[in-house]
Amino acid sequence: MLDTLVFVTVLLPFLVAAVLLVLREQNVRKVILVATAGVLALASLAMLRGGAFIMSPAPLYDTLITLGDFVILFVVLFVGIKRKNQIIIWLSVAQIIGLIILDFFMVKEHGNIPAFFADDLSLVMVLIISIVGSLIAVYGIGYMKEHEEHLHLTKSKQPQFFFFIVLFLGAMNGLVLANNLLWMYFFWECTTLCSFMLIGHDDTEIARKNAERALWMNVLGGTAFLFGIILLQKVVGTLSLQEILARGPEFAVAGGAILVPMFLLVFAGMTKAAQAPFQSWLTGAMVAPTPVSALLHSSTMVKAGVYIIVRLAPVYAGTYFSNFVALFGAFVFLATACLAAGQSNGKKILAYSTISNLALIIACAGINTPAAITAAILLILFHAISKALMFLCVGAIEQKIGSRDIEDMRGLFAVMPRTALVAIIGIMTMMLPPFGMLMAKWMAIESAHGQFLLMIMLALGSGVTVLFWCRWAGLMLGTPVAKAKPEAQDITVRAPLYILAGLALVVSFFSPVVYNSLVAPVVKMYYKAAPYALPYGNFDSPVGIFLVYPLFLLLGLGFYFALKQARKVTAAQCSQPYMCGEQQTVDGKPGFLGPLGLHVPVQSGNYYLEQFFGETMLSKWINVIALAVLVIMLFGGAL
């Protein structure tokens, strides 16, 4: 049974991807994608129910993985030569040489290392990838049809598109289940290649440019990953993740040599998670079709980066290195939240807020206490659901109104009442108590108690987050419209939106169950104690208490009375804004009598304070400070 579940979650997507690449019939492709999504979701639930495991496939697979490593590296090298990108060329050559040394001169007994190992953290990741990722793939069916019609393509590129989408899901499942770090490296590089192909899918000049940037930055991370495991093999004598984690406490005490490979692996995670100064690859990825943006930001690519950092946290717990990881994460969390506040482009807001939330997860890994690791795991889960929902909403909105600028979403209920409502739910679950994202942020801030600088940065970053979410929600709610006509939507677009919105609400409501069944076992395994008690379903710790169900009740009552009062407002009670001077309405557009007797229509908009929060203003300094912290971490580890 276990063999079957691992096959379904890891190998089946590779096989389905190959079929989709040669399949041209759209209806058959739709059936295969929906069926694959269902099978992946059921298999991940069955795997979760089965619990922790360790297994080794036949020795032949080790050979195939080694061969696959070299194939990917030579493909990347070919791309570097074709694009004349010296960074990609030399990094690929370095990886090829390093892999030859590791595979043929250092690791003598590949088959003695179990290939797969899973605890509750791995199983949570498989659940996110297989359910959220699959919903994004299904959404892509309806989205890509309209996307290609908009581009006026004479020949559909959907076979190639869905090949890499589904391959991505299999690679991510393999990555989070891998115990042998050589296997993890193979899946790591698979995601790099898939992201490059998906970002450049539309084959425009800007798409090619951003795909190339994503490739070289992630190849840099892949190089760090490979040389990190080379050093681990030399220092520890094994590439078994399970064994390294089991011996984590002795490494934390010994310090020294183990911190250099830890830095390289954490650095690889930071590049994959698009942390400063590498955030530009993820913001540039916004040129790709929306399903790609959603997949990269929510359930796959960037989550691989924070997964490896959180996964290795027990190994570097109690070291100076852990403190610098926390400092780096807290700084990037605050800085990129400020960058998000200066944006009006919906996708860029989501991109920077994603980077910010990933930095918060990294900060939690660096704080490295039971409460902080609890917050990190819950953030991974809740962020994946809500952020995927928001990306898919923006994609649907953009195709309807022709813009992703949130200023153009003013009064969206008049045009897309269903999607607007779903988007509002997504925003609420990102910023309001008692939903999971806010609860996990509360846990993160509390876990930093006693560390004044960290607490200040985490609290300020959370405050700035509220600013841009409230602004966005207010725009969509800003124009009340009675009995707006529901928009028409393909079922493959609408169903993922509704399911993700439902998941965001339900998983938050049952957050105490999620904590008890999935998070607490991971924390107890590596930290020997769970940080929270759950009296009456509320999170209680020595630092504070989070009242889940009383807050849900209060929120429900608030919405009930707000809607009740809103229904009492009549058209006669609504008035146009008072602007001083002589007001007039022309063609239904309010304004005032301006110079030369001309009508001046009303224009409204938000302040984005670009002089404080603009990319031009902040990015350079953010990158310099982040790079300085990384250099200190590296040289401190070497010494």
Side-chain angles (χ1 to χ4, degrees), residues 401-423:
I401 69 173
S403 172
R404 61 180 66 162
D405 194 304
I406 64 172
E407 291 293 335
D408 296 326
M409 299 179 195
R410 190 179 300 273
L412 188 67
F413 269 99
V415 183
M416 304 180 73
R418 289 172 173 169
T419 306
L421 178 61
V422 170

Side-chain angles (χ1 to χ4, degrees), residues 51-53 117-124 245 307 311 522 525-526:
F53 66 84
F117 139 74
D119 59 10
D120 286 302
L121 177 56
S122 304
L123 297 175
V124 168
L245 291 172
Y307 166 77
R311 170 59 81 195
V522 177
M525 185 182 303
Y526 300 110

